Each structure stands twice: as structure tokens, then as C-alpha cells.
Amino acid sequence: MQRRRFLARGSVAGTLAAGLAAPALAQGSNPQVRWRLASSYPKSLSTIYGAMDMAVKRVGELTEGRFNISLHAAGELVPALQVLDAVQSGSVEAGHSASYFYIGKDPAYGFGTALPFGLNARGQNAWLYEAGGMDLLNEFYATQNVVMLPVGNTGAQMAGWYRKEIKTADDFKNLKFRVGGLAGMALAKLGVVAQQLAAGDLYPALEKGVIDAAEFVGPYDDEKLGLHKVAKYYYYPGWWEGSATLNLFIGPKAWAALPAHYQAAVRTAVAEANQWSTAKYDTENPRALARLVSGGAQLRGFSRPVLDACYKATEQLYAELADKSPAFKKIFEHWIKFRNEQVVWQQYCEAPFDNYMASASRKR
């Protein structure tokens, strides 16, 4: 009987989660709990929003329907970029967003999602789960009246859609650019007029000329948003997001009120969603990119001089932020050491392998 139940779970993650939750469920401490969870994303983004949807459903399964989380898309409960505020105020128990949307509160919010010239998806997960990054972040988030768990990672991103080509760093001057996180602050040093807009606002802003360029994630999501229809130059690499972690923010009181096995169910469900989202993007992005290029999108790579100018601006920004924010300085010292170790390691293993395979596959 136990073996049949094990096989019926259908996935390794689901089985592990069930194993965590089952002993506690047998103890009889299984209150009926209902949460409202506000997302910063529309339902059309089937990987970002879909990861959160997967996680809340899994929580329900792991608690045999006793812990119910209702997920609400951007704008249904609160505006897309006010999700964190709603969690902090207690208006909702939890929120699904990107921490770097809130760097106006403190630049330390950037670390929870992505920093320019930062970590790839493997490195980010290693830093969060194994190297102490999540503990550092939640130490900071405790001062902000939230608890954070990772609930998705996009992998490396593209650098967005532009109405004109970016041939030199001077082409950034006066460019009205929708760009998230600390990248906007770094690019401002090169003359960019950075703007932060929600996903659903990007197409009309580009179409009407309110902005000159926009970045979001990569081919799969960008195609869904229709950005290729209003700007034809598609740039890479997205140096400000070697990966990007999406975040589940939870009110501390709501979290503390959960039984330990309900907390375990949440942790397990979001970890499963975190792994799934990267796999989904890695499956769909190549296909979407092929469709976009065949439809007329013009792929362009930033030149080395452009990237060098961006890197220099980013280094200047980090020094300034460390002087202004004690929280940023503390996390950055830990993060930069880990990032540099990762870069050294990857130059001997991941990078040469990937470069060779790309070259070899083009010859076939």
C-alpha cells in the first residue's frame, strides 16, 4: 500500500514533499487556513505566474486541502508594483513579486532577484540555498516586516527591445528605457532615462513612444507581451540579469501562525516551482527565439566596449550604494566574494563547454 502511494505522487519533488508533511498530518494539528496571495504578474505569463500557481496548488495537496491559498493576478487585489506594500501592511498574507521592484525602499532589495553582472541561475540558487544568501536576505527582510522564499528563476535574460541600434555607449544617452532593478541606476550613469513599468504596461508604452526600449525576461515571455511588434532590435546579453529570482513575500505574523508542517509544505512547494520555472524557460526560450527571428526580429549583441562601459558604471554604483546603505554593504560583501568564486570556477568548466557546444552545433 505504501509503495503504491509513493508511486502515485508522480514526481520526486512531490514525493519528498509528501514525506515531509505526512508525519505532522497524522498528529491531528491541521487547522483550516486561508490566505490571499497577490501577484505582480498577469496570468498570461504562464511561467512566472504559472510557477506561483503550481506552488499554491501543491500546498493544498500536501495539506489535504486544509491550507488554501487563493492566488490573484496583477491588479485584482492591488496594483502590480504595490504587492510588497500590501504584504507589509497586512492587507494580504502573501505576495508574489520581484524584490528589485522595491529598491526605492533600500537598494538591498536588489539581491533577492538579480544584480547587474551577477550570478547565473545555478550560482544564484547555490548562493541562496547553500552559501547563506537566504539567511542574509531574511535577516534584512525581517527589518522590512516580511519573510521571503524563492519561487522561480528565469535563467539568463535578454537585454530587451529597442527602436534604434546601440552601437556605442553614447547611444544610451536620453534613451527612455523600461529596465528593472539596479540596472536602471547603473545605466543612468550612461545617460539612460530609466523607468519601471509593470509587464502589462510595456506594449502600450512602446507603441505610443512613451519609452524607446523595454526589457522584460526573454523570448518566451517577450513574445507573449508582443514587444517584437513595436520594436525590432533585440539585444543580448542581459548583463543586469544573469538570472532573476522571483519571490514569495509572506507577512511574519501569518508565517508564524502556521503549524510547522504547513511551513514545510510551503517551502517544499516553492522549491519545486523554483526548479520547474528554469526548466520551462530553458525549454521554451529557444523555440520562441526562432519564431521571433523568423518573424523579423533583428538580433544584436552589445559590443565589448559597450559592455565595458556598463561594467564600469555598475562598479561605481556598487561603491556608492555600499556607502549609503548598511544593509546593502553587508550583503554585498558576502555576495561579491561568492560571485567572484563562481566566475573563476565557471571559466574552467561551464563556459568553455557551452562555447564549444555552440560552435560545434553551428557547424552541423
Side-chain angles (χ1 to χ4, degrees):
M1 177 65 72
Q2 291 299 318
R3 185 173 184 273
R4 287 197 296 272
R5 290 183 62 193
F6 179 94
L7 294 173
R9 291 294 178 181
S11 71
V12 173
T15 302
L16 290 173
L20 285 170
L25 285 171
Q27 294 171 13
S29 178
N30 308 304
Q32 187 75 49
V33 176
R34 295 188 181 277
W35 277 9
R36 295 191 306 167
L37 194 161
S39 178
S40 289
Y41 301 97
K43 294 178 182 179
S44 60
L45 296 178
S46 58
T47 304
I48 291 180
Y49 185 90
M52 193 70 258
D53 188 48
M54 169 189 288
V56 299
K57 289 176 179 175
R58 182 68 81 192
V59 168
E61 292 172 356
L62 296 177
T63 60
E64 298 184 354
R66 302 292 294 174
F67 184 6
N68 181 270
I69 304 173
S70 60
L71 175 61
H72 301 267
E76 290 183 357
L77 293 181
V78 297
L81 301 182
Q82 294 179 26
V83 165
L84 177 64
D85 303 83
V87 178
Q88 290 173 318
S89 69
S91 298
V92 295
E93 287 80 12
H96 172 227
S97 194
S99 65
Y100 69 5
F101 287 160
Y102 309 99
I103 56 172
K105 296 175 181 289
D106 191 299
Y109 274 98
F111 291 99
T113 295
L115 262 66
F117 295 103
L119 295 160
N120 63 15
R122 287 181 59 175
Q124 177 78 345
N125 283 331
W127 182 67
L128 288 171
Y129 289 112
E130 188 63 24
M134 203 181 311
D135 291 337
L136 269 176
L137 290 181
N138 273 315
E139 180 182 317
F140 163 68
Y141 289 133
T143 70
Q144 306 294 302
N145 199 39
V146 289
V147 175
M148 188 280 289
L149 293 171
V151 69
N153 192 305
T154 66
Q157 296 192 8
M158 295 290 281
W161 298 86
Y162 301 72
R163 292 183 177 277
K164 68 174 186 178
E165 293 185 85
I166 305 297
K167 296 180 179 179
T168 72
D170 286 340
D171 292 324
F172 282 124
K173 290 180 179 177
N174 299 315
L175 185 80
K176 293 176 290 185
F177 186 20
R178 184 278 181 189
V179 59
L182 298 176
M185 298 174 71
L187 284 166
K189 294 182 177 296
L190 302 177
V192 165
V193 181
Q195 300 186 33
Q196 185 157 268
L197 300 171
D201 297 328
L202 301 191
Y203 182 94
L206 263 179
E207 183 182 39
K208 296 174 183 177
V210 175
I211 55 176
D212 304 310
E215 63 82 36
F216 188 61
V217 175
Y220 186 59
D221 285 343
D222 293 356
E223 183 183 38
K224 287 178 177 293
L225 295 176
L227 303 183
H228 58 291
K229 299 176 183 177
V230 285
K232 69 177 181 178
Y233 297 110
Y234 198 21
Y235 270 86
Y236 63 89
W239 49 266
W240 47 87
E241 288 174 289
S243 70
T245 298
L246 286 307
N247 310 106
L248 172 62
F249 291 113
I250 304 170
K253 290 182 180 179
W255 182 247
L258 292 178
H261 55 292
Y262 282 19
Q263 291 182 353
V266 174
R267 289 194 186 96
T268 302
V270 297
E272 178 185 26
N274 191 49
Q275 179 185 39
W276 170 84
S277 65
T278 306
K280 178 71 171 178
Y281 275 120
D282 284 346
T283 300
E284 298 295 345
N285 275 331
R287 300 167 183 170
L289 182 61
R291 290 193 297 269
L292 290 168
V293 171
S294 66
Q298 301 294 305
L299 278 179
R300 296 287 188 273
F302 288 134
S303 68
R304 180 59 184 258
V306 167
L307 289 173
D308 286 344
C310 295
Y311 189 87
K312 181 179 179 181
T314 299
E315 293 290 289
Q316 293 172 351
L317 175 65
Y318 288 157
E320 293 168 4
L321 295 178
D323 285 340
K324 294 177 181 178
S325 167
F328 183 92
K329 185 176 188 295
K330 179 177 180 178
I331 301 171
F332 182 77
E333 289 175 350
H334 184 274
W335 178 89
I336 194 67
K337 181 177 183 294
F338 186 81
R339 187 205 70 174
N340 291 344
E341 291 171 349
Q342 288 289 298
V343 171
V344 170
W345 157 241
Q346 289 171 16
Q347 73 173 321
Y348 297 117
C349 182
E350 299 293 332
F353 177 78
D354 290 344
N355 290 339
Y356 175 78
M357 290 305 299
S359 175
S361 64
R362 283 194 293 266
K363 295 176 181 178
R364 292 184 59 122

